Amino acid sequence: MDELEFRRRLLAQPQNKDKELLEYAQQNPERMSLVNELKSFDKELHQAMNVSVPENLVDKIIFRQSMSDDTSANTHPLKRSPNRPWYLALVASVALVFTFALYQLNSPTLSIGEHALAHVYHEIDSLEAQDRLDMATVNARLAELGGQLSALPGEVTFARFCRFKGQKSLHLVFNSQFGPMTVFIVPTNNQYLGDDYFSDQRFAGRISHFPKGDAILVAAAQAPIDEYQSRINQSLQWL
Amino acid sequence: MGMADKQKRYEALVQVYHKELYRFAFWLSKDATVAEDLVQETFLRAWRSLDSLQDQGAAKSWLLTILRRENARRFERKQFDYSDVEQDTLVDERNTALDDDMELTVLQRHIMALPDEYREPLILQVMAGCSGEEIADILNLNKNTVMTRLYRARNQLKDALTRNPDKFNEAPNG
């Protein structure tokens, strides 16, 4: 080994534990000081590289997987491939039940509000849906979950079943003068997790609890959401 | 493998490796938002092909490799997205985005300024604790090339720090 070779190997790998390299270093104090200098330089590098990781990243990753094609294809027609054989949907729906059961048991639990926001972001295209659905169509679907709506305060552009925290639910979007708003009708009665008010920079949401289920409204942060919440609540009946 | 086992195994991978993957993504993309997307895409792909991961010991290299491929895809897509935008503008936007994302120290800026081919193996070695063989595997290079690049990476950094210790304290356009 010569100086050049020593330097090359040390700079490539300061933590190198190669015997030959270390013996060569020990023959000369200058070489030893380079060894130590590079070790402490690597410590600084390590610190500089350890940028902070966003909070909730684990939740987001697991949520995204739980909402992914493989597990929720059957309940998310937006993402369904028309060529997929029908039995795959069945397999997926069985998988979905397991996934969600496990997700809820094993994962850091998202509150209803967090889930609602993540759900809206996950299906952000739904806010731009252009379908025009009459209340009869909406109610035909809602009836399956035991609900009826006399009206919504705006034209309904999206009405599909989805999984909301593992529960088969109806995902509705209607156009208001304050932009599209999302309503989740979730037929369950014991998910009093978290706050009934939630928001982030873009959206605000309200959760209304009924004996047979929840109605969750998500609207643009600036919209008069309480007014819309009470109009929806007045219109919603449980059968 | 049963669904329940698969889910458990997946969540364990997420818990153990999400930080390293995020940091690798950050240093590849130089953008916190893009990094988060990359990590999510990576884990989604990992979920879909989890059955192909036989050797748990290889999980880290496997995930880092997927992430790197995802990052390459991003550039393929970008080529089409921005085909009619002048390249100068793109560079400017990127620098601004970076400054907004986080305050970077001088050392971090010097790491950013390294050519990709030197920065990548250095991040894998120092941040992710990968061996020379693992890096060679992830980057699809032979080990000698990897060692040469690691040597040059540190050499350039030390050089830059000695010559211009405060270079990056000046305004980017100054």
Side-chain angles (χ1 to χ4, degrees):
Chain A
M1 192 173 315
D2 58 18
E3 291 293 341
L4 188 67
E5 169 74 7
F6 170 71
R7 208 184 138 76
R8 284 186 73 91
R9 286 176 63 180
L10 197 63
L11 265 105
Q13 199 180 356
Q15 314 299 330
N16 204 327
K17 298 203 165 57
D18 182 74
K19 220 176 157 188
E20 192 194 355
L21 190 83
L22 292 178
E23 275 170 10
Y24 187 77
Q26 280 159 359
Q27 291 167 12
N28 176 327
E30 265 181 50
R31 290 179 205 148
M32 273 317 287
S33 91
L34 184 64
V35 171
N36 293 328
E37 187 201 324
L38 281 170
K39 275 188 184 164
S40 73
F41 183 52
D42 258 32
K43 263 187 206 155
E44 284 175 45
L45 280 179
H46 190 263
Q47 275 176 358
M49 288 172 183
N50 276 356
V51 294
S52 57
V53 177
E55 282 176 40
N56 302 331
L57 185 56
V58 170
D59 288 355
K60 286 185 195 165
I61 293 165
I62 293 172
F63 178 80
R64 178 113 174 246
Q65 169 256 321
S66 72
M67 299 292 292
S68 71
D69 275 350
D70 326 35
T71 43
S72 58
N74 58 328
T75 51
H76 285 272
L78 262 188
K79 310 222 164 198
R80 186 172 60 199
S81 148
N83 298 324
R84 195 173 288 174
W86 65 271
Y87 55 83
L88 275 191
L90 188 65
V91 172
S93 82
V94 173
L96 183 75
V97 171
F98 277 114
T99 307
F100 268 96
L102 257 152
Y103 174 60
Q104 289 184 312
L105 287 175
N106 293 346
S107 309
T109 317
L110 295 174
S111 71
I112 298 183
E114 283 169 325
H115 182 97
L117 285 175
H119 202 127
V120 169
Y121 282 113
H122 181 74
E123 298 215 42
I124 201 79
D125 292 347
S126 68
L127 298 181
E128 279 159 29
Q130 295 297 332
D131 296 347
R132 292 165 171 233
L133 301 160
D134 55 26
M135 288 315 290
T137 312
V138 172
N139 278 324
R141 291 178 190 170
L142 192 50
E144 269 193 51
L145 308 178
Q148 284 290 286
L149 277 164
S150 52
L152 275 174
E155 189 166 53
V156 181
T157 54
F158 184 91
R160 283 168 183 175
F161 290 118
C162 66
R163 293 277 161 188
F164 193 95
K165 287 180 83 66
Q167 184 75 34
K168 184 175 180 181
S169 306
L170 193 62
H171 181 170
L172 298 166
V173 177
F174 65 90
N175 273 327
S176 77
Q177 63 182 111
F178 301 95
M181 296 188 182
T182 303
V183 182
F184 297 104
I185 308 284
V186 187
T188 181
N189 45 25
N190 44 19
Q191 294 205 352
Y192 290 90
L193 260 172
D195 220 320
D196 291 343
Y197 300 77
F198 56 91
S199 61
D200 66 4
Q201 290 178 331
R202 183 169 171 189
F203 296 111
R206 297 285 184 272
I207 304 167
S208 308
H209 300 284
F210 299 91
K212 290 184 179 175
D214 298 338
I216 299 148
L217 174 64
V218 183
Q222 308 81 1
I225 190 165
D226 293 316
E227 189 187 308
Y228 277 85
Q229 182 190 23
S230 80
R231 284 169 74 180
I232 292 163
N233 289 354
Q234 280 165 21
S235 147
L236 180 64
Q237 287 189 315
W238 295 89
L239 304 172
Chain B
M1 182 167 44
M3 246 357 247
D5 287 342
K6 184 177 175 184
Q7 183 74 22
K8 260 191 196 159
R9 200 173 153 210
Y10 176 74
E11 292 190 10
L13 283 181
V14 175
Q15 289 288 357
V16 175
Y17 295 115
H18 75 280
K19 287 188 180 157
E20 280 169 351
L21 284 184
Y22 174 82
R23 287 173 180 143
F24 184 46
F26 176 80
W27 289 105
L28 280 189
S29 66
K30 306 178 179 180
D31 184 308
T33 314
V34 174
E36 198 172 324
D37 282 350
L38 281 173
V39 176
Q40 295 209 22
E41 281 301 320
T42 300
F43 274 114
L44 203 54
R45 279 188 191 270
W47 165 256
R48 290 180 181 144
S49 51
L50 195 58
D51 295 338
S52 71
L53 176 68
Q54 300 296 333
D55 173 11
Q56 278 301 321
K60 184 167 73 179
S61 296
W62 182 67
L63 289 167
L64 290 165
T65 307
I66 299 177
L67 193 142
R68 197 166 170 270
R69 220 180 293 138
E70 281 304 310
N71 187 51
R73 281 208 184 86
R74 185 170 67 88
F75 280 102
E76 284 163 21
R77 284 197 297 269
K78 231 176 178 168
Q79 270 188 336
F80 299 110
D81 289 353
Y82 296 133
S83 53
D84 52 358
V85 181
E86 279 185 37
Q87 291 305 306
D88 294 348
T89 341
L90 277 183
V91 173
D92 277 356
E93 275 171 10
R94 187 173 195 167
N95 284 341
T96 319
L98 187 61
D99 287 341
D100 291 347
D101 274 335
M102 52 179 78
E103 295 262 325
L104 295 174
T105 64
V106 175
L107 183 54
Q108 285 175 323
R109 284 173 181 273
H110 280 291
I111 298 170
M112 285 283 187
L114 279 178
D116 291 352
E117 70 204 77
Y118 297 161
R119 188 176 60 249
E120 235 183 314
L122 190 67
I123 299 288
L124 288 171
Q125 187 187 49
V126 177
M127 186 279 299
C130 293
S131 68
E133 286 80 7
E134 284 172 322
I135 300 170
D137 192 39
I138 293 165
L139 302 183
N140 203 15
L141 297 168
N142 74 44
K143 198 192 155 193
N144 284 341
T145 310
V146 168
M147 295 326 266
T148 304
R149 289 187 185 182
L150 285 167
Y151 158 76
R152 290 197 180 138
R154 283 196 182 79
N155 222 9
Q156 278 206 8
L157 273 181
K158 292 189 73 64
D159 228 37
L161 286 162
T162 335
R163 265 186 296 129
N164 271 322
D166 298 324
K167 183 182 157 199
F168 286 107
N169 282 343
E170 292 163 18
N173 303 321

